[in-house]
Amino acid sequence: MSLPRAGKCAYGQLVAQQKPTSLAFIALLVGNVALATGPFLVRNSGVGPVAAGFWRLALALPFLWAIAWMFRQPVQWPKRTVTLAIAGAAFFFAADLAAWHAGILLTKLGNATLFGNISSFFFAAWGLWLVRKWPSVLQAAALTLAAAGCGLLMWGSAELSAANLRGDLLAVLAGLLYTGYLILVERTRGGLQPMPLLFIASLFGAAMLLPAALAAGEQILPDNWTALVALAVCSQVIGQGLLVYALGHLPPLVIGIAMLTQPALSALLGWLYYGEAFTPRDWSGAAMIVVALVLVRMREGSAPRLRQPVVAPN
């Protein structure tokens, strides 16, 4: 049976859109795995928390430039409005790194990543507000499962205590700042390719973090560069690079729930390397987040829907 011409056109458009969307979802998952190593590497960086943020961005710049050149995404100075938006995103990201890295040193890995990723819920809520509609049944079920999974992680591996309070509050502040970064990048992503966007944002962010680290009197140069280079490659080049790519193809709800895999992965690293508790309750919470991720990717109804790409204003 052959499809009518209009049907063939719609089917071809659907296939063409499904391929980059599926690739973006895989990139999102891999990027979150890379980002989850960040707290562990910050702890072993050998420099101050703000300085670690500076080196994460500065050491990533040559890699980002090379990748942009390889994928034929030359780094060019964008229009004034886009440049201002990227500068705003870089400010939120630099402030997020400073607060989060400081929090990592004052609390458990599970706490730092869990509270730092409250941005997942705010970003998902922003995406629903953007399209001016309530979540569907599947979306509501996914958000409920994700929230319940985070609750179990918080109850188990994330220890709420006075000893961790300062670090937890800094991680919460970082999560709020990261929400602003994600929103600005998502809106800018339609007007600029991912690698040039990430390169310029990293350049701006590094320029903001270095004077802040110097003013704080932190140790700037490490005795061993291994952890800092790994932080730059894993968190900024791979993690943020894949996340920025995914932001151009996936809705905020999917991005937000996928980001909740990071607390479970970081808590697992904390258990493996620092003996921080990872109980069966934590495994259950992590499994609920995975199920939520599956639910949010399911299509409702039998008729396929074409996803309209997000185009940011220039």
Short mmCIF file of all heavy atoms in Angstrom, two decimals, residues 95-126:
data_model
loop_
_atom_site.label_atom_id
_atom_site.label_comp_id
_atom_site.label_asym_id
_atom_site.label_seq_id
_atom_site.Cartn_x
_atom_site.Cartn_y
_atom_site.Cartn_z
N ALA A 95 28.19 31.95 38.53
CA ALA A 95 27.71 32.02 39.91
C ALA A 95 27.27 30.64 40.41
O ALA A 95 27.49 30.28 41.57
CB ALA A 95 26.56 33.02 40.01
N ASP A 96 26.65 29.87 39.52
CA ASP A 96 26.25 28.50 39.86
C ASP A 96 27.47 27.65 40.23
O ASP A 96 27.46 26.94 41.24
CB ASP A 96 25.50 27.88 38.68
CG ASP A 96 25.52 26.36 38.69
OD1 ASP A 96 24.95 25.75 39.62
OD2 ASP A 96 26.14 25.77 37.78
N LEU A 97 28.51 27.72 39.42
CA LEU A 97 29.72 26.93 39.69
C LEU A 97 30.37 27.33 41.01
O LEU A 97 30.80 26.48 41.79
CB LEU A 97 30.72 27.08 38.54
CG LEU A 97 30.37 26.40 37.22
CD1 LEU A 97 31.47 26.65 36.19
CD2 LEU A 97 30.16 24.90 37.40
N ALA A 98 30.45 28.63 41.26
CA ALA A 98 31.07 29.10 42.50
C ALA A 98 30.30 28.59 43.72
O ALA A 98 30.90 28.08 44.68
CB ALA A 98 31.12 30.63 42.51
N ALA A 99 28.97 28.70 43.69
CA ALA A 99 28.16 28.26 44.82
C ALA A 99 28.17 26.74 44.95
O ALA A 99 28.31 26.20 46.06
CB ALA A 99 26.72 28.76 44.66
N TRP A 100 28.06 26.05 43.82
CA TRP A 100 27.97 24.59 43.87
C TRP A 100 29.30 23.97 44.30
O TRP A 100 29.32 23.06 45.13
CB TRP A 100 27.55 24.06 42.51
CG TRP A 100 27.18 22.61 42.51
CD1 TRP A 100 26.40 21.96 43.43
CD2 TRP A 100 27.56 21.63 41.54
NE1 TRP A 100 26.27 20.63 43.09
CE2 TRP A 100 26.97 20.40 41.93
CE3 TRP A 100 28.32 21.67 40.39
CZ2 TRP A 100 27.14 19.24 41.21
CZ3 TRP A 100 28.48 20.51 39.66
CH2 TRP A 100 27.90 19.31 40.07
N HIS A 101 30.39 24.44 43.76
CA HIS A 101 31.69 23.89 44.12
C HIS A 101 32.00 24.12 45.60
O HIS A 101 32.58 23.26 46.27
CB HIS A 101 32.80 24.51 43.26
CG HIS A 101 32.79 24.00 41.85
ND1 HIS A 101 33.74 24.38 40.92
CD2 HIS A 101 31.96 23.15 41.21
CE1 HIS A 101 33.48 23.78 39.77
NE2 HIS A 101 32.40 23.03 39.92
N ALA A 102 31.60 25.29 46.12
CA ALA A 102 31.78 25.54 47.55
C ALA A 102 30.91 24.58 48.37
O ALA A 102 31.34 24.05 49.40
CB ALA A 102 31.43 26.99 47.87
N GLY A 103 29.69 24.34 47.90
CA GLY A 103 28.80 23.42 48.60
C GLY A 103 29.31 21.99 48.58
O GLY A 103 29.13 21.25 49.56
N ILE A 104 29.94 21.59 47.49
CA ILE A 104 30.46 20.22 47.37
C ILE A 104 31.46 19.92 48.47
O ILE A 104 31.50 18.81 49.01
CB ILE A 104 31.11 20.02 45.98
CG1 ILE A 104 30.03 19.94 44.90
CG2 ILE A 104 31.98 18.76 45.94
CD1 ILE A 104 30.58 20.02 43.49
N LEU A 105 32.26 20.92 48.84
CA LEU A 105 33.28 20.73 49.86
C LEU A 105 32.71 20.73 51.28
O LEU A 105 33.41 20.38 52.23
CB LEU A 105 34.36 21.81 49.74
CG LEU A 105 35.07 21.91 48.39
CD1 LEU A 105 36.10 23.03 48.41
CD2 LEU A 105 35.73 20.58 48.02
N LEU A 106 31.43 21.13 51.43
CA LEU A 106 30.83 21.26 52.76
C LEU A 106 29.72 20.26 53.03
O LEU A 106 29.13 20.29 54.11
CB LEU A 106 30.28 22.68 52.93
CG LEU A 106 31.31 23.82 52.89
CD1 LEU A 106 30.62 25.17 52.88
CD2 LEU A 106 32.26 23.71 54.08
N THR A 107 29.42 19.39 52.07
CA THR A 107 28.37 18.41 52.27
C THR A 107 28.71 17.13 51.52
O THR A 107 29.79 17.01 50.91
CB THR A 107 27.00 18.96 51.82
OG1 THR A 107 25.96 18.04 52.20
CG2 THR A 107 26.95 19.18 50.33
N LYS A 108 27.80 16.15 51.53
CA LYS A 108 28.04 14.88 50.85
C LYS A 108 27.83 15.04 49.34
O LYS A 108 27.12 15.94 48.88
CB LYS A 108 27.10 13.82 51.40
CG LYS A 108 27.27 13.56 52.90
CD LYS A 108 26.21 12.64 53.43
CE LYS A 108 26.29 11.27 52.81
NZ LYS A 108 25.29 10.33 53.37
N LEU A 109 28.42 14.13 48.58
CA LEU A 109 28.26 14.19 47.12
C LEU A 109 26.79 14.06 46.72
O LEU A 109 26.32 14.74 45.81
CB LEU A 109 29.08 13.08 46.46
CG LEU A 109 30.60 13.21 46.49
CD1 LEU A 109 31.23 12.12 45.64
CD2 LEU A 109 31.06 14.57 45.98
N GLY A 110 26.08 13.15 47.40
CA GLY A 110 24.66 12.96 47.09
C GLY A 110 23.87 14.22 47.36
O GLY A 110 23.02 14.63 46.57
N ASN A 111 24.12 14.86 48.51
CA ASN A 111 23.43 16.11 48.84
C ASN A 111 23.71 17.18 47.79
O ASN A 111 22.79 17.85 47.29
CB ASN A 111 23.90 16.62 50.20
CG ASN A 111 23.46 15.76 51.35
OD1 ASN A 111 23.64 14.56 51.33
ND2 ASN A 111 22.90 16.39 52.36
N ALA A 112 24.99 17.40 47.51
CA ALA A 112 25.39 18.48 46.60
C ALA A 112 24.73 18.33 45.23
O ALA A 112 24.20 19.30 44.67
CB ALA A 112 26.91 18.51 46.46
N THR A 113 24.73 17.12 44.70
CA THR A 113 24.17 16.92 43.36
C THR A 113 22.65 16.95 43.39
O THR A 113 22.02 17.49 42.47
CB THR A 113 24.66 15.58 42.78
OG1 THR A 113 26.05 15.48 42.98
CG2 THR A 113 24.37 15.50 41.30
N LEU A 114 22.06 16.41 44.45
CA LEU A 114 20.60 16.40 44.55
C LEU A 114 20.05 17.81 44.67
O LEU A 114 19.19 18.22 43.90
CB LEU A 114 20.17 15.56 45.75
CG LEU A 114 18.67 15.42 45.97
CD1 LEU A 114 18.01 14.78 44.76
CD2 LEU A 114 18.38 14.60 47.22
N PHE A 115 20.57 18.59 45.61
CA PHE A 115 20.07 19.95 45.79
C PHE A 115 20.48 20.83 44.62
O PHE A 115 19.74 21.75 44.25
CB PHE A 115 20.59 20.53 47.10
CG PHE A 115 19.98 19.88 48.32
CD1 PHE A 115 20.79 19.30 49.28
CD2 PHE A 115 18.62 19.82 48.49
CE1 PHE A 115 20.25 18.69 50.40
CE2 PHE A 115 18.06 19.23 49.60
CZ PHE A 115 18.87 18.65 50.56
N GLY A 116 21.64 20.58 44.05
CA GLY A 116 22.06 21.36 42.89
C GLY A 116 21.19 21.13 41.67
O GLY A 116 21.15 21.97 40.77
N ASN A 117 20.48 20.00 41.65
CA ASN A 117 19.64 19.68 40.50
C ASN A 117 18.16 19.95 40.74
O ASN A 117 17.31 19.43 40.02
CB ASN A 117 19.84 18.21 40.10
CG ASN A 117 21.04 18.03 39.18
OD1 ASN A 117 20.97 18.27 37.99
ND2 ASN A 117 22.15 17.64 39.76
N ILE A 118 17.84 20.79 41.74
CA ILE A 118 16.45 21.23 41.86
C ILE A 118 16.06 22.04 40.63
O ILE A 118 14.87 22.26 40.37
CB ILE A 118 16.22 22.05 43.14
CG1 ILE A 118 17.06 23.32 43.13
CG2 ILE A 118 16.48 21.24 44.39
CD1 ILE A 118 16.70 24.30 44.21
N SER A 119 17.07 22.50 39.90
CA SER A 119 16.80 23.20 38.65
C SER A 119 15.99 22.34 37.69
O SER A 119 15.29 22.86 36.82
CB SER A 119 18.11 23.62 37.98
OG SER A 119 18.96 22.50 37.81
N SER A 120 16.08 21.01 37.84
CA SER A 120 15.33 20.10 36.97
C SER A 120 13.84 20.40 37.03
O SER A 120 13.16 20.49 36.01
CB SER A 120 15.59 18.65 37.39
OG SER A 120 16.96 18.36 37.40
N PHE A 121 13.32 20.57 38.24
CA PHE A 121 11.89 20.82 38.40
C PHE A 121 11.52 22.22 37.93
O PHE A 121 10.48 22.41 37.28
CB PHE A 121 11.49 20.64 39.87
CG PHE A 121 11.59 19.22 40.34
CD1 PHE A 121 12.63 18.81 41.14
CD2 PHE A 121 10.65 18.27 39.97
CE1 PHE A 121 12.74 17.51 41.57
CE2 PHE A 121 10.74 16.96 40.39
CZ PHE A 121 11.79 16.57 41.20
N PHE A 122 12.35 23.22 38.24
CA PHE A 122 12.06 24.58 37.81
C PHE A 122 12.11 24.70 36.29
O PHE A 122 11.29 25.38 35.67
CB PHE A 122 13.04 25.56 38.45
CG PHE A 122 12.82 25.77 39.91
CD1 PHE A 122 13.71 25.26 40.84
CD2 PHE A 122 11.70 26.46 40.37
CE1 PHE A 122 13.51 25.45 42.20
CE2 PHE A 122 11.49 26.65 41.73
CZ PHE A 122 12.39 26.14 42.64
N PHE A 123 13.08 24.03 35.66
CA PHE A 123 13.20 24.09 34.20
C PHE A 123 12.04 23.36 33.54
O PHE A 123 11.51 23.82 32.53
CB PHE A 123 14.54 23.47 33.78
CG PHE A 123 14.87 23.69 32.32
CD1 PHE A 123 14.99 24.97 31.80
CD2 PHE A 123 15.07 22.61 31.47
CE1 PHE A 123 15.30 25.18 30.46
CE2 PHE A 123 15.38 22.80 30.14
CZ PHE A 123 15.50 24.09 29.63
N ALA A 124 11.63 22.22 34.11
CA ALA A 124 10.48 21.49 33.57
C ALA A 124 9.21 22.33 33.70
O ALA A 124 8.39 22.40 32.77
CB ALA A 124 10.32 20.16 34.29
N ALA A 125 9.03 22.99 34.86
CA ALA A 125 7.86 23.84 35.06
C ALA A 125 7.87 25.02 34.09
O ALA A 125 6.82 25.41 33.55
CB ALA A 125 7.83 24.34 36.50
N TRP A 126 9.06 25.58 33.85
CA TRP A 126 9.17 26.68 32.89
C TRP A 126 8.75 26.22 31.50
O TRP A 126 8.08 26.95 30.76
CB TRP A 126 10.59 27.22 32.87
CG TRP A 126 10.81 28.32 31.88
CD1 TRP A 126 10.50 29.63 32.02
CD2 TRP A 126 11.38 28.19 30.57
NE1 TRP A 126 10.85 30.34 30.89
CE2 TRP A 126 11.39 29.48 29.99
CE3 TRP A 126 11.90 27.12 29.84
CZ2 TRP A 126 11.89 29.71 28.71
CZ3 TRP A 126 12.39 27.36 28.57
CH2 TRP A 126 12.39 28.64 28.02
#
